[in-house]
């Protein structure tokens, strides 16, 4: 079965950093769009950052620009989200996702989803 395993979440103070990882099993990232989405209590799931399957560009939500960085390691079949300067409003469950051969990576209709990892940022 296809599995995406997200990890790296935790409890940090405002201004701190975390690095989220998403390892893929049963699917290869190199021909897939990859994305990080998050969902806070009472809110809709929203895109945080993503990369289309062509790797031609990178998208960041306005709320995280300059603070978060998405990257991938095809050899390890893993995608990362480096989060710096964390704010309390970043508190959410973060999900990684993958979808084959897509360029519009910021819509949450991906084929494969990870289980999510909780990020909590205290004031």
């Amino acid at each position: 079965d296809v599995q995406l395993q997200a990890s790296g979440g935790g409890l940090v103070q405002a201004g701190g950093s975390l690095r989220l990882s998403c390892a893929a099993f049963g699917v290869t990232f190199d021909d897939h769009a990859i994305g990080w989405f998050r969902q806070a209590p009472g809110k809709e799931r929203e895109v945080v950052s993503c990369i289309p399957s062509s790797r031609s560009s990178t998208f960041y939500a306005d709320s995280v620009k300059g603070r978060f960085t998405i990257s991938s390691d095809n050899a390890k079949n893993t995608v990362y989200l480096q989060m710096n300067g964390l704010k309390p409003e970043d508190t959410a469950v973060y999900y990684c996702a993958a979808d084959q051969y897509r360029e519009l990576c910021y819509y949450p209709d991906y084929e494969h989803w990870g289980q999510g990892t909780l990020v909590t940022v205290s004031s």
Side-chain angles (χ1 to χ4, degrees):
D1 293 337
V2 174
Q3 292 186 359
L4 303 181
Q5 297 184 355
S7 61
L11 174 63
V12 298
Q13 293 184 329
S17 298
L18 285 173
R19 189 192 191 195
L20 306 184
S21 299
C22 178
F25 302 88
V27 63
T28 302
F29 275 145
D30 62 2
D31 60 354
H32 286 65
I34 54 176
W36 285 98
F37 297 79
R38 68 186 181 187
Q39 187 166 20
K43 296 184 178 180
E44 297 292 323
R45 186 171 299 186
E46 63 179 0
V47 64
V48 177
S49 182
C50 63
I51 305 175
S53 58
S54 67
R55 303 293 188 266
S56 61
S57 62
T58 305
F59 173 85
Y60 293 96
D62 288 341
S63 60
V64 306
K65 286 181 179 178
R67 299 189 296 121
F68 292 8
T69 303
I70 190 171
S71 63
S72 63
D73 186 335
N74 288 336
K76 296 181 179 180
N77 210 26
T78 300
V79 61
Y80 306 95
L81 184 69
Q82 179 66 46
M83 306 186 296
N84 299 325
L86 284 163
K87 304 175 180 180
E89 50 264 45
D90 294 318
T91 296
V93 176
Y94 284 71
Y95 300 89
C96 61
D99 203 1
Q100 191 173 30
Y101 301 127
R102 71 179 293 165
E103 290 300 298
L104 301 179
C105 65
Y106 38 78
Y107 296 116
D109 58 347
Y110 282 52
E111 179 72 15
H112 308 293
W113 289 87
Q115 83 285 6
T117 184
L118 177 62
V119 173
T120 303
V121 185
S122 62
S123 302

